[in-house]
């Protein structure tokens, strides 16, 4: 069994890989959904996946780890713990990613952006902009699952534990068989 198959087996065994009709955080429709919180609730997998990301970025100077809320928080916190670095998260307020809860990003620091799953990379792009607008430097992006199959490049120093091409559809291109399945929207962002 190759590493990719082993990861899929872990996701299936923990109930983190779901099948049905889902509306993703990006607003696109898909037959599959990665509920990473289901796999990351198991300390052995959280540590294993975080360690892979940490090892990739170990030689880069990092001052702070940031994640978009809510999905990336658990993974980002463990990565920050392993790196022994401050860890914060950005969250949506009136539709825009922002820092709340007293979190700040100082100018000129080096920031690592972490996310659990990307499809289009929209939330991570917003966090990258937030970091840059604070005058800090994004030194890399670490992701547990890249649903784009490697097509979404958010940073020159980007690492994904696993890349899977998960087919997704816009509202106007949903196949009939998928359209006939009840829709679930398990993501953490409300869609307008």
């Amino acid at each position: 069994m190759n590493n990719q198959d082993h990861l899929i087996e872990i996701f299936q065994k923990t109930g983190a890989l779901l099948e049905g009709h889902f509306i993703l955080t990006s607003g696109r429709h898909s037959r599959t959904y990665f509920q990473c919180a289901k796999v990351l609730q198991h300390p052995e997998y959280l540590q294993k996946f975080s360690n892979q990301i940490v090892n990739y970025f170990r030689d880069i100077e990092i001052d702070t780890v940031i994640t978009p809320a809510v999905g990336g928080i658990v993974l980002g916190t463990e990565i920050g713990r392993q790196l022994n670095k401050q860890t914060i998260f950005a969250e949506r307020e009136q539709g825009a990613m922002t820092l709340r809860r007293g979190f700040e990003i100082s100018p000129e620091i080096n920031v690592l952006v972490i996310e659990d799953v990307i499809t289009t990379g929209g939330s991570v792009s917003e966090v990258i902009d937030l970091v840059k607008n604070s005058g800090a430097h994004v030194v890399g992006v670490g992701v547990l699952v890249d649903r784009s199959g490697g097509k979404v490049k958010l940073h020159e120093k980007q690492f994904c534990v696993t890349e899977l091409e998960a087919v997704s559809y816009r509202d106007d291109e949903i196949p009939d068989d998928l359209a006939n399945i009840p829709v679930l929207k398990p993501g953490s962002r409300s869609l307008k």
Side-chain angles (χ1 to χ4, degrees):
M1 177 183 304
N2 67 33
N3 189 47
Q4 187 75 0
D5 290 341
H6 180 64
L7 289 172
I8 294 297
E9 183 180 284
I10 290 170
F11 274 84
Q12 289 172 328
K13 179 173 77 173
T14 59
L17 177 56
L18 308 173
E19 295 184 9
H21 181 177
F22 303 95
I23 297 180
L24 307 174
T25 302
S26 63
R28 295 179 65 87
H29 295 252
S30 179
R31 298 176 192 282
T32 57
Y33 185 82
F34 288 92
Q35 182 60 274
C36 289
K38 296 281 280 184
V39 73
L40 297 177
Q41 71 181 333
H42 300 280
E44 69 269 28
Y45 300 131
L46 174 60
Q47 185 174 2
K48 173 186 174 118
F49 297 143
S50 297
N51 192 257
Q52 290 177 22
I53 294 170
V54 165
N55 284 338
Y56 183 83
F57 292 105
R58 187 156 313 273
D59 296 331
I60 295 175
E61 185 180 330
I62 298 167
D63 300 304
T64 298
V65 175
I66 189 171
T67 69
V70 169
I73 292 175
V74 171
L75 184 65
T77 299
E78 174 62 15
I79 288 168
R81 187 196 67 78
Q82 289 186 22
L83 290 168
N84 196 29
K85 300 297 177 183
Q86 172 195 31
T87 305
I88 62 175
F89 58 88
E91 55 193 307
R92 285 198 189 285
E93 187 171 63
Q94 298 177 345
M97 280 292 179
T98 187
L99 294 177
R100 296 180 54 215
R101 305 171 198 275
F103 291 146
E104 295 177 353
I105 299 174
S106 300
E108 301 301 319
I109 66 168
N110 292 329
V111 180
L112 176 63
V113 180
I114 299 295
E115 177 66 299
D116 61 345
V117 181
I118 59 170
T119 302
T120 63
S123 294
V124 172
S125 293
E126 289 180 63
V127 171
I128 288 171
D129 289 344
L130 181 66
V131 171
K132 289 179 178 178
N133 290 338
S134 298
H137 311 287
V138 175
V139 294
V141 173
V143 178
L144 177 53
V145 177
D146 176 356
R147 289 177 47 97
S148 79
K151 292 181 182 145
V152 173
K153 279 298 185 194
L154 301 163
H155 194 273
E156 63 210 25
K157 190 81 168 164
Q158 180 171 315
F159 175 77
C160 302
V161 173
T162 186
E163 291 179 356
L164 300 169
E165 178 126 31
V167 178
S168 64
Y169 308 95
R170 292 187 320 260
D171 286 338
D172 62 350
E173 59 185 18
I174 303 168
D176 290 339
D177 66 315
L178 185 59
N180 291 326
I181 300 172
V183 177
L184 299 169
K185 188 173 68 173
S188 58
R189 185 188 332 167
S190 310
L191 300 174
K192 296 168 189 77

